[in-house]
Amino acid sequence: MTKPGASDPKPSSANTMWGGRFADGPDAIMEAINASIGFDQRMARQDIDGSRAHAAMLAATGIVETSDVEAIREGLLTVLSEIEGGSFGFSAALEDIHMNVESRLTEIVGPAAGRLHTARSRNDQVATDFKLWVRDQIDAAVSGLEALQRALLGQAEAGSDWVMPGFTHLQTAQPVTWGHHMMAYVEMLGRDVSRMRDARARMNEAPLGAAALAGTSFPIDRDMTAEALGFDRPAANSLDAVSDRDFALDFLSAASICAMHLSRLAEELVIWSSAQFRFVTLSDRFSTGSSIMPQKKNPDAAELIRAKIGRIFGANVALMTVMKGLPLTYSKDMQEDKEQVFDAADNLMLALAAMEGMVRDMQANRDALREAAATGFSTATDLADWLVRVLDLPFREAHHITGSLVKLAEDKGCDLPDLSLTDMQSVHGGITDAVFEVLGVENSVRSRVSYGGTAPERVREQIARWRAILDNPTSR
Ligand code: ARG
């Protein structure tokens, strides 16, 4: 038995992954602030996909023996099945998903596992994992958006010629068609899809192989790993590759705009389902009751969707603020990039799914829409246009005459079509019986045939266009 000498390493509680120069382990508070495993375990699949691609490249380039790589790649699949099966014991001492996976891999395959991290760093690893994760969310958001577009199209098809009031300032403006109103959201969501796709195309460059920040002296093949992970190409600057999170900001920005759109539709559903409007009836499946007022049916899902913009846009602001002013390249600040993005993505998907269900299930009340469309002097513009067209008056004068007619109707407590011809002629002698034709709401919407207008025939063209787009993914 040899006597312990000064050269023997002290047993130390230092980290087994990087603790070579450390004599002491971390304080409990240090571990608590440093660990990301509590949340970044959500990137386990992406981490293992990235590691398997990296390992395959290490074998193909002769950097690591094929036999070791085979053991590593097999072992990584075992780790993944343990994680997905719920039997994996995550350790905060091992900080993050990357080191938890590698440590377990070492237990499974032995020292060969130590070769996996050749020509790689957690900096390019985490950037790769997070990009893969965000990319999956973009794909999920596009599916969710398209499902919602289909639900809106269904509503538009059912009521392409139903008449409802169109509003500006939430005051009755002109009659429009229900189909036209539904299709307005289809257009907005179509731009959300396109923003998501833009973000995806822009982000699709692989950080892997940038290593810690400067690249590596090993003869790696970055095209090979990029292709294996579905990236279009490797990122061209290693410093940039490990240190930007603009791809997550692109996603959050597209998500924020989408959440803003959802909040507007949600707000309309809240208003429309009220007893005062009765434009729509929400299904029981997407409503809740009140614990005290038995008559109530509340649009809670719509209200919650209306509120989701708060946390989604909040995440956008939070990440932008984390990234602001960081010197190149990686700083630990960047570990604060994930939780908010996870939360924003979860809530965006939930909001899209809930909105899709609500829109699919809701019943538009055709009679209430029609009745509301015919009040509030909604065809005053049609009257003014008639004065221009038939009596050849300048529009400004026609506007003034119509204003006087509205005032007259208001004084009499009736609507425009209820005025008699004599009433009309008292304001302008040239008005004839034919004016009454344009005062009806059906005629009003039928007349708005300009491209993009509310006439049912125009609306049906747009419905057909969107049906074709949604049924044929390559057309986008
Ligand atoms: N958990 C870290 C993160 O999420 C991984 C990268 C750590 N890199 C480092 N050099 N400490 O950002």
Side-chain angles (χ1 to χ4, degrees), residues 401-437:
I401 293 167
T402 307
S404 308
L405 287 166
V406 166
K407 173 88 177 49
L408 183 63
E410 206 167 41
D411 292 346
K412 291 188 169 246
C414 67
D415 236 296
L416 282 174
D418 310 322
L419 289 175
S420 68
L421 185 59
T422 326
D423 290 336
M424 298 257 190
Q425 288 172 338
S426 73
V427 176
H428 192 284
I431 298 177
T432 67
D433 240 353
V435 76
F436 289 100
E437 262 167 49

Side-chain angles (χ1 to χ4, degrees), residues 8-16 18-27:
D8 290 336
K10 270 200 306 182
S12 133
S13 54
N15 188 294
T16 52
W18 45 249
R21 78 189 301 289
F22 285 70
D24 224 347
D27 190 274

